[in-house]
Amino acid sequence: MTDYANAWDLLADAIGAAKNESSGAIADVAHLTIDQRIEVAKVAALLSISQELSGLRQGEGAGPEKIEAHLSRIAMHLNGETPPVEFRSFDL
C-alpha cells in the first residue's frame, strides 16, 4: 500500500474513531467539531495536492499542457477551490 493510501486510511480511521466506529468517510464529518472539520479539510487538500504532484512525477504530465493542468489543479486546491469535474483526479 502506498503512503498516499495509508494517509487516506488513517484519516478515515480518525474520522470514525471520533464517532466510536472503526472507520469513517471524508463526507461523514457532521459529528466533528468545526476545528476538527477544518483539520480534515486541510489533510484532504494536502492529499489531493500530493496526488497531483505524484502524477507529475510518474510521467502522467509529461507534456507542457499536462503539467499546466496539474499545476492549475494544485493552485485551485491551495486557494480552497474545487477543480472542475473534467480536471479532478478523484472525488473527496
Side-chain angles (χ1 to χ4, degrees), residues 14-87:
I15 292 168
K19 199 173 182 181
N20 293 324
E21 296 179 0
S22 61
S23 188
I26 192 75
D28 182 22
V29 295
H31 61 284
L32 300 178
T33 67
I34 298 298
D35 288 339
Q36 290 171 323
R37 291 179 195 188
I38 290 169
E39 290 303 313
V40 166
K42 288 178 184 179
V43 171
L46 288 171
L47 288 169
S48 296
I49 291 166
S50 72
Q51 185 182 33
E52 297 297 341
L53 291 172
S54 178
L56 286 172
R57 186 182 63 207
Q58 294 175 6
E60 292 176 12
E65 299 84 16
K66 293 283 188 177
I67 291 172
E68 184 176 337
H70 280 285
L71 293 175
S72 175
R73 287 191 297 268
I74 290 169
M76 291 183 82
H77 286 296
L78 290 172
N79 290 325
E81 302 169 20
T82 302
V85 174
E86 65 269 18
F87 289 126

Side-chain angles (χ1 to χ4, degrees), residues 7-18:
W8 270 111
D9 286 347
L10 290 172
L11 180 60
D13 289 347
I15 292 168

